[in-house]
Amino acid sequence: MAKTPSKKAVGAKAPKKATTGKRRSKKRVESYSTYIYRVLKQVHPDTGISKKGMSIMNSFINDIFERIATEAGKLATYNKKATLSSREIQTAVRLMLPGELAKHAVSIQTAVRLMLPGELAKHAVSEGTKAVTKFSSA
């Protein structure tokens, strides 16, 4: 008589695979919460913000960023340019933000360009524009 393979119990689990010691890294979620919090503490050091409030502010920043980027893209297309330059961004900010706020954002941009070298100035201008937009409309 030939041996037949034994039947596994219905609830038995398969043996776990040996791990090589590598952990699966968490998926990164990008948000502006760190920067929102920093600006909040600069303006109102004794004030906090709830998780829901932070989520709303993050959505707001993403919305403003998308609107400015879309408008700048349209301006580049109208002028038959393939690259977004600071000129298109600046014009988009002037079109998107109301009166005094747009002037304030543009004046900060100019001052930063004069003080910081090259790529650092570009990065600072974009971050500054986002921060001013968020702060003023909140």
Side-chain angles (χ1 to χ4, degrees):
M1 212 158 121
K3 284 188 174 180
T4 57
S6 62
K7 294 182 180 177
K8 289 185 180 176
V10 175
K13 293 182 181 176
K16 289 186 178 180
K17 292 181 181 177
T19 57
T20 59
K22 291 184 181 179
R23 288 188 174 186
R24 187 180 294 179
S25 61
K26 280 188 173 182
K27 186 178 179 191
R28 294 179 57 97
V29 178
E30 292 182 346
S31 80
Y32 296 101
S33 58
T34 306
Y35 312 107
I36 293 167
Y37 192 76
R38 285 181 192 168
V39 172
L40 175 66
K41 288 301 168 187
Q42 285 176 353
V43 179
H44 297 290
D46 55 340
T47 305
I49 187 167
S50 68
K51 200 174 208 178
K52 186 146 187 163
M54 185 62 80
S55 174
I56 290 168
M57 287 300 293
N58 197 52
S59 296
F60 173 75
I61 299 294
N62 283 324
D63 182 51
I64 292 295
F65 180 82
E66 190 175 326
R67 287 184 194 186
I68 291 173
T70 303
E71 189 63 36
K74 287 178 186 174
L75 287 166
T77 305
Y78 296 155
N79 294 316
K80 296 176 184 167
K81 295 196 176 191
T83 308
L84 284 180
S85 69
S86 60
R87 183 181 176 114
E88 282 82 26
I89 301 295
Q90 193 173 73
T91 307
V93 167
R94 283 194 174 126
L95 290 169
M96 297 305 299
L97 301 179
E100 199 62 36
L101 182 57
K103 287 179 189 172
H104 187 64
V106 170
S107 68
I108 288 173
Q109 191 177 22
T110 307
V112 168
R113 272 207 197 103
L114 293 172
M115 294 172 68
L116 297 175
E119 201 61 36
L120 184 58
K122 290 178 187 174
H123 180 68
V125 165
S126 68
E127 290 296 322
T129 303
K130 287 187 282 187
V132 169
T133 303
K134 174 197 56 120
F135 170 70
S136 300
S137 56

